[in-house]
């Protein structure tokens, strides 16, 4: 297997299939990447742009090039001395006609051999033992009466057709199917009887959140959860990646949404054994998990994996570079303009309550039924009663600090019991209701500790509810309501506090496994790495930013009056954060391109926030007012000029933050993961903006050594940084794979704004020094370089010996060195002992 040095994440789809990836392999290799890290390659819903909506995980997607296309890519990868890592999806599948397992469940109901493969509650009350499938655009009887649901001839008999969605009809076999369908369709009563005779119940989509009886990926009705803990399901889902590993085509896998599984620890043990059994003798395939870690949470010690896919590092690097002094004035400005608390914990709690009762109402009810089953067997719990204990569960889940616990069949360990108890204590602190206090204590100290099948069922149901609750309430709701500083509203982050102390960053880096990924941009990010880096500048000059916002809004009084202050504050951050460095306010085409990108973010932000609009109940009038403000801001000369000036005023400083961020990603323990195209400035927003085509021709030109700083707006300095530091990783594999990590402290004025460390292994030694929490005024106005007086008396003591500047090819002696000199070429320093 190929030694792991750095991964490149590629988003494959019909317009960028295996052959397109193969065409860029020479460039990827020259950059210094060791492994391509591919989005899911299994057969997905036709037209899928991401692959997570799989319909057949046993086959390679025809849209991507099929088995032959994959083998061509894998062969070229091996010939280039590189490797492949696959993203796999064991948690869910698409509820689509192209999914043969799901189709069989629809046709045969509980008698299907796949009925137990999906997490369907066949005993849910009021469902009559059928699968409740809310896919109709109106109530069932209205769909029949309006002629938008009818019986038609299908490929293997009669199907029900609803706007092109086909659903099988059980045991409809007649000589003349067309005539039979015409007869049924002519009688609404007969058609209704036919529909109601099926093992599924077609229903209005608006009933899904309350009546659906299969577990979903979060609240996505089109993605049904698998029971991967069952051996037959595990074997079927993993047959393809295990075969590809055994044939020598791949080096490992990344597990999507591991917290959606019933028993992540048990799953990883089974998968680790399966991977090791297929791998060449002595090789250990890479096994990574997508896991969101809360503040103070670490990956479980008993998980047999190599680490996470890198969201934890993305949070840590964003926090450590930030100036903590900017938090209070930014929070004050947000409160004054938005009328909201500015306290993320307040926003999170409100969002959790809302999501529990709305998008996750069906999952909440399912957990309640598991609780009721336990109550029915216990007199002490029965005395408190189901309604009160359900209220207690709601109250505790609204305070839950992590995605989930990991009870499995062994019950809750001490750490998990402490998490439930802590949430219970916070829930009790919110109320003086004595009865509710008693119910909370009974839930956490008794019901959740019960042994046996009913106790296991309750714990699993709670864990299956708390994970999507965290995701939907925090990342998909509160992040869009709380706009103090948008750079800290990122997947993997928890912006109760914006900044991270250097000591905590160093401790996390020293503890990280050498094969865990280090990400700064992903296919799921809210904002690209360099949008976040640029917005970090605002924390170092909050008063300036507040004045800039006032100046912008003064040019648009009427348009601003129609939009809430919080939505405006977030809009201005988004515009200046995503503004291309080379975009002039007079470039009409460029401005329109930017407007369209921001408009996509704006609609998603408004609807995810669920305050003035939502996906379920869009407020067209308010969304139009917000769109009018955006257009006015980019068309009104005064406003557009002010926005352009603001963006350009922080662009160079943001580039320095971006280079510091990339340097840390490439040098701390772990494996840097480069998201496609992000070797240059990544000014993308939330999907689909972060999945735009990559201009590889431009990136190839960046490999020219000329004009690294002079051409900084193009992204060349960051690309050259990646190239040189990946070359260093290639030249010093043992140092980066197994080197130790120790902080290195600067001294003098500004010492606290230098983040430095050393890494050592078997005689090799590395020193890295980057700036943090620095002011906009320390950076030159039009280039990412320091002003002459930026670091007048800040020094770093280099260990004895001769040191080579990896980025500037200069030599340094050990002893005190002025930071200004170390950073006189690029504004960061990476030194290797000569």
């Amino acid at each position: 297997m190929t030694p792991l040095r750095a991964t490149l994440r590629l988003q494959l789809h019909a317009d960028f299939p295996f052959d397109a990836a193969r065409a860029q392999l020479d460039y990827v290799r020259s950059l210094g990447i060791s492994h391509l890290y591919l989005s899911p390659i299994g057969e997905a819903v036709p037209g899928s742009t991401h692959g997570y909506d799989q319909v057949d995980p046993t086959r390679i997607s025809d849209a991507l090039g099929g088995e032959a296309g994959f083998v061509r890519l894998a062969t070229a990868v091996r010939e280039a001395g590189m490797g492949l890592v696959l993203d796999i999806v064991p948690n869910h599948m698409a509820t689509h006609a192209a999914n043969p397992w799901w189709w069989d469940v629809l046709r045969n109901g509980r008698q299907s051999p796949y009925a137990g493969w999906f997490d369907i509650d066949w005993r849910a009350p009021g469902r009559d033992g059928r699968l409740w499938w809310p896919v109709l655009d109106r109530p069932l009887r209205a769909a029949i009466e309006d002629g938008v649901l009818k019986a038609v001839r299908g490929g293997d008999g009669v199907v029900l057709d609803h706007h092109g969605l086909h659903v099988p009809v059980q045991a409809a076999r007649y000589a003349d199917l067309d005539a039979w369908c015409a007869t049924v369709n002519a009688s609404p009563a007969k058609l209704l009887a036919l529909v109601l005779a099926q093992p599924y119940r077609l229903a209005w989509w608006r009933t899904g959140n309350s009546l659906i009886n299969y577990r979903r990926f979060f609240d996505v009705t089109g993605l049904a959860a698998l029971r991967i803990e069952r051996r037959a399901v595990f074997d079927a889902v993993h047959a393809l990646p295990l075969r590809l590993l055994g044939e020598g085509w791949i080096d490992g896998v990344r597990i999507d949404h591991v917290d959606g599984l019933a028993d992540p620890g048990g799953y990883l043990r089974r998968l680790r054994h399966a991977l090791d059994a297929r791998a060449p003798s002595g090789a250990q395939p890479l096994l990574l998990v997508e896991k969101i870690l809360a503040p103070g949470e670490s990956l479980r010690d008993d998980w047999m994996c190599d680490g996470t896919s890198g969201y934890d590092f993305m949070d840590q690097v964003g926090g450590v570079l930030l100036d903590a002094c900017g938090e209070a004035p930014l929070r004050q400005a947000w409160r004054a303009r938005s009328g909201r608390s500015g306290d993320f914990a307040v926003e999170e709690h409100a969002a959790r309550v809302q999501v529990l009762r709305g998008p996750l109402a069906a999952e909440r009810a399912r957990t309640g039924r598991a609780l009721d089953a336990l109550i029915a067997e216990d007199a002490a719990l029965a005395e408190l009663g189901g309604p009160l204990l359900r209220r207690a569960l709601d109250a505790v889940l609204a305070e839950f600090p992590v995605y989930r616990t990991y009870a499995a069949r062994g019950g809750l360990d001490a750490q998990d019991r402490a998490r439930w108890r802590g949430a219970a204590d916070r829930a009790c602190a919110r109320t003086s209701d004595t009865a509710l206090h008693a119910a909370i204590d009974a839930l956490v100290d008794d019901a959740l500790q019960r042994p046996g099948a009913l106790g296991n069922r309750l714990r699993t149901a709670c864990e299956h509810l708390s994970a999507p609750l965290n995701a939907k309430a925090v990342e998909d709701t509160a992040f869009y309501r709380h706009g103090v500083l948008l750079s800290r509203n990122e997947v993997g982050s928890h912006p109760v506090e914006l900044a991270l102390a250097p000591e905590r960053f160093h401790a996390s880096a020293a503890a990280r496994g050498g094969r865990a990924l280090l990400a700064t941009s992903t296919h799921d990010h809210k904002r690209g790495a360099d949008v976040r880096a640029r917005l970090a500048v605002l924390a170092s000059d909050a008063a300036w930013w507040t004045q800039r916002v006032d100046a912008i809004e003064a040019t648009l009084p009427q348009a601003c009056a129609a939009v809430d202050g919080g939505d405006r504050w977030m809009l201005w951050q988004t515009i200046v954060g995503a503004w291309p460095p080379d975009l002039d306010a007079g470039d009409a085409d460029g401005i329109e391109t930017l407007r369209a990108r921001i408009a996509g973010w704006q609609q998603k932000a408004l609807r995810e926030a669920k305050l003035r609009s939502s996906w379920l109940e869009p407020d067209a009038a308010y969304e139009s007012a917000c769109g009018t403000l955006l257009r006015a801001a980019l068309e009104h000369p005064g406003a557009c000029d002010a926005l352009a000036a603001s963006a350009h005023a922080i662009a160079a400083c943001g580039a320095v933050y971006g280079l510091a961020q990339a340097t840390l990603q490439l040098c701390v323990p772990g494996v840097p993961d480069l998201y496609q195209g992000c070797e240059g400035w990544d000014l993308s927003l939330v999907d689909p903006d972060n999945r735009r085509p990559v201009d590889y021709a431009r990136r190839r030109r960046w490999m020219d050594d000329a004009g690294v700083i002079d051409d900084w707006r193009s992204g060349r300095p960051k690309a050259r940084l990646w190239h040189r530091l990946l070359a260093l990783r290639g030249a010093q594999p043992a140092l980066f794979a197994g080197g130790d990590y120790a902080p290195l402290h600067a001294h003098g004025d500004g010492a606290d704004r230098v983040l430095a460390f050393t890494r050592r292994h078997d005689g090799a030694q590395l020193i890295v020094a980057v700036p943090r929490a620095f002011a906009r005024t320390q950076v030159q106005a039009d280039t990412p370089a320091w002003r002459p007086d930026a670091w007048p008396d800040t020094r770093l003591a280099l260990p004895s010996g001769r040191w080579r500047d990896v980025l500037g090819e200069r030599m340094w002696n050990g002893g005190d060195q002025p930071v200004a000199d170390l950073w006189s070429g690029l504004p960061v320093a990476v030194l290797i002992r000569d």
Side-chain angles (χ1 to χ4, degrees):
M1 289 185 170
T2 304
L4 188 63
R5 183 167 64 250
T7 59
L8 172 66
R9 169 66 183 218
L10 293 178
Q11 291 298 113
L12 301 174
H13 47 82
D15 293 328
F16 191 83
F18 297 128
D19 285 343
R22 183 165 58 94
Q24 304 302 331
L25 204 55
D26 62 324
Y27 163 72
V28 173
R29 182 187 182 191
S30 71
L31 186 61
I33 297 294
S34 65
H35 285 72
L36 297 186
Y37 161 29
L38 305 181
S39 60
I41 66 169
E43 197 66 64
V45 168
S48 174
T49 60
H50 49 76
Y52 291 98
D53 48 356
Q54 61 183 351
V55 295
D56 187 349
T58 69
R59 294 192 303 114
I60 295 177
S61 167
D62 289 335
L64 301 183
E67 184 97 10
F70 174 79
V71 169
R72 285 194 298 273
L73 172 61
T75 299
V77 165
R78 286 288 181 243
E79 290 174 349
M82 300 170 61
L84 283 176
V85 177
L86 295 186
D87 193 347
I88 65 172
V89 190
N91 179 70
H92 58 266
M93 293 181 71
T95 60
H96 190 275
N99 182 341
W101 304 345
W102 185 256
W103 186 267
D104 197 86
V105 171
L106 291 175
R107 181 180 291 283
N108 298 303
R110 299 181 73 172
Q111 305 309 310
S112 168
Y114 305 107
W117 287 36
F118 298 96
D119 197 353
I120 303 168
D121 186 357
W122 295 101
R123 297 180 179 179
R127 314 306 192 276
D128 299 323
R130 294 183 291 173
L131 172 68
W132 196 273
W133 201 24
V135 293
L136 301 180
D137 67 350
R138 64 201 75 187
L140 173 60
R141 285 167 175 77
I144 292 173
E145 292 168 1
D146 295 343
V148 296
L149 179 65
K150 50 194 174 184
V152 300
R153 177 195 289 269
D156 60 347
V158 174
V159 298
L160 294 172
D161 176 88
H162 181 63
H163 301 304
L165 170 69
H166 283 183
V167 191
V169 170
Q170 190 177 57
R173 299 289 186 270
Y174 297 92
D176 189 343
L177 290 181
D178 292 326
W180 185 85
C181 289
T183 300
V184 170
N185 291 331
S187 169
K190 288 183 178 179
L191 182 55
L192 178 61
L194 175 69
V195 174
L196 294 180
Q198 302 310 309
Y200 53 82
R201 170 64 156 85
L202 294 182
W204 189 21
W205 70 270
R206 286 187 177 275
T207 69
N209 285 340
S210 55
L211 294 176
I212 200 166
N213 64 335
Y214 61 88
R215 189 165 58 86
R216 302 169 288 179
F217 171 72
F218 299 163
D219 62 343
V220 182
T221 299
L223 298 174
L226 287 165
R227 300 195 65 183
I228 205 71
E229 67 274 16
R230 296 193 167 188
R231 187 72 203 216
V233 186
F234 179 94
D235 290 345
V237 169
H238 296 88
L240 175 62
L242 290 174
R243 173 172 68 81
L244 296 178
L245 176 68
E247 293 173 354
W249 296 126
I250 68 171
D251 289 358
V253 294
R254 176 262 201 188
I255 309 305
D256 180 63
H257 189 44
V258 73
D259 275 342
L261 310 182
D263 177 14
Y267 165 81
L268 291 170
R269 284 192 298 275
R270 177 179 285 179
L271 181 56
R272 170 55 77 194
H273 294 321
L275 290 170
D276 290 348
R278 297 295 186 100
S281 178
Q284 186 180 46
L286 186 67
L287 177 52
L288 299 165
V289 294
E290 182 198 31
K291 165 64 183 166
I292 306 298
L293 295 168
E297 183 185 16
S298 57
L299 211 56
R300 305 282 291 201
D301 291 337
D302 60 347
W303 281 14
M304 297 179 68
C305 66
D306 294 297
T308 75
S309 55
Y311 293 127
D312 45 338
F313 172 77
M314 189 157 68
D315 170 50
Q316 292 156 12
V317 74
V320 75
L321 294 177
L322 199 72
D323 188 348
C325 295
E327 182 169 349
L330 286 173
R331 195 180 305 279
Q332 181 180 0
W334 165 255
R335 287 171 175 158
R337 285 160 174 77
S338 70
R340 305 189 70 79
S341 70
D343 184 340
F344 187 76
V346 171
E347 297 287 10
E348 179 182 351
H349 184 270
R352 283 176 173 272
V353 171
Q354 182 178 352
V355 169
L356 262 178
R357 296 173 180 172
L360 296 180
E363 288 75 9
R364 174 178 174 244
R366 183 177 187 171
T367 307
R369 291 194 294 273
L371 180 57
D372 289 343
L374 193 61
I375 293 170
E377 300 293 321
D378 185 90
L381 295 176
E383 184 175 355
L384 290 169
L388 183 58
L389 283 165
R390 287 190 185 210
R391 282 180 57 207
L393 181 58
D394 287 350
V396 174
L397 287 172
E399 304 288 346
F400 213 63
V402 294
Y403 256 56
R404 56 170 289 179
T405 52
Y406 302 95
R409 295 189 177 278
L412 296 166
D413 63 15
Q415 181 183 50
D416 284 343
R417 287 196 298 272
R419 294 198 190 283
W420 280 104
R421 186 64 253 176
D425 291 343
R426 289 187 293 275
C428 286
R430 284 187 181 271
T431 178
S432 59
D433 186 330
T434 303
L436 185 56
H437 282 199
I440 289 172
D441 289 340
L443 172 74
V444 170
D445 298 333
D446 184 1
L448 283 171
Q449 312 300 328
R450 292 294 180 92
L454 293 178
N456 287 334
R457 178 186 170 193
L458 174 61
R459 286 187 289 272
T460 299
C462 287
E463 291 168 347
H464 274 154
L465 176 56
S466 68
L469 174 60
N470 192 300
K472 295 303 298 180
V474 176
E475 298 157 27
D476 291 346
T477 304
F479 276 4
Y480 293 97
R481 295 179 175 182
H482 178 81
V484 173
L485 184 64
L486 293 183
S487 63
R488 299 299 289 134
N489 292 9
E490 190 51 75
V491 179
S493 298
H494 195 255
V496 171
E497 294 181 354
L498 300 184
L500 179 72
E503 296 77 20
R504 291 172 60 191
F505 178 86
H506 287 311
S508 296
R512 185 179 300 110
R515 296 193 350 144
L517 293 193
L518 307 168
T520 56
S521 294
T522 75
H523 63 286
D524 275 338
H525 68 231
K526 306 296 185 186
R527 289 159 198 86
D530 297 295
V531 176
R532 299 195 308 275
R534 188 184 291 180
L535 292 179
V537 179
L538 305 184
S540 69
D541 207 342
W544 171 85
W545 172 241
T546 301
Q547 292 167 3
R548 298 306 301 168
V549 169
D550 289 341
I552 294 163
E553 295 193 346
T555 67
L556 304 165
Q558 186 172 352
C560 285
V563 177
D564 289 350
D567 292 331
R568 301 198 309 268
W569 181 261
M570 289 190 280
L571 174 63
W572 309 135
Q573 288 185 66
T574 302
I575 292 175
V576 300
W579 192 287
D582 55 356
L583 177 61
D584 183 80
D587 179 354
D589 291 341
I591 291 295
E592 175 53 27
T593 298
L594 176 64
R595 188 207 62 78
R597 292 177 53 218
I598 302 293
W601 162 83
Q602 185 181 60
Q603 182 189 70
K604 187 166 191 172
L606 292 171
R607 294 184 179 184
E608 295 284 17
K610 307 172 190 67
L611 294 173
R612 294 293 303 269
S613 191
S614 70
W615 295 109
L616 291 179
E617 300 289 347
D619 186 329
Y622 185 68
E623 289 186 9
S624 177
C626 292
T628 297
L629 174 61
L630 169 59
R631 184 173 293 278
L634 294 177
E635 289 181 352
H636 185 285
C640 191
D641 287 346
L643 284 164
S646 300
H648 291 312
I650 62 174
C653 188
V656 176
Y657 273 108
L659 293 173
Q661 179 175 245
T663 301
L664 293 173
Q665 182 184 13
L666 284 154
C667 294
V668 301
V671 178
D673 172 41
L674 176 64
Y675 182 61
Q676 57 182 27
C678 293
E679 61 270 40
W681 306 129
D682 176 19
L683 299 177
S684 64
L685 301 172
V686 71
D687 65 275
D689 191 62
N690 58 7
R691 300 175 189 179
R692 288 174 291 156
V694 176
D695 185 348
Y696 283 104
R698 188 183 199 195
R699 280 152 182 78
R700 288 172 181 270
R701 292 194 296 271
W702 287 344
M703 290 301 98
D704 180 0
D705 279 319
V708 171
I709 287 293
D710 293 343
D711 190 24
W712 73 270
R713 290 179 177 83
S714 71
R716 186 190 299 264
K718 185 180 172 188
R720 292 300 299 160
L721 182 81
W722 269 88
H723 183 245
R724 292 192 181 187
L725 293 183
L726 285 179
L728 179 65
R729 292 181 71 95
Q732 299 280 350
L735 174 61
F736 283 96
D740 67 5
Y741 179 99
L744 188 63
H745 300 289
H747 56 94
D749 291 343
D752 60 334
R753 298 180 185 273
V754 177
L755 185 74
F757 58 88
T758 66
R759 300 196 64 188
R760 297 173 301 174
H761 184 273
D762 197 23
Q765 187 170 2
L766 178 77
I767 294 175
V768 176
V770 303
R772 61 170 297 273
F774 53 90
R776 178 177 59 91
T777 54
Q778 292 177 264
V779 178
Q780 294 184 32
D782 57 356
T783 189
W786 301 111
R787 293 180 184 272
D789 59 349
W791 304 93
D793 187 33
T794 311
R795 306 178 73 84
L796 190 66
L798 305 184
S800 61
R802 290 280 287 170
W803 298 89
R804 177 172 60 86
D805 181 354
V806 176
L807 303 176
E809 299 302 335
R810 295 173 297 172
M811 298 298 298
W812 301 91
N813 291 319
D816 262 11
Q817 296 292 346
V819 166
D821 290 348
L822 293 174
W823 292 340
S824 62
L826 283 176
V828 296
V830 178
L831 311 179
I832 190 79
R833 186 184 291 277
D834 196 41

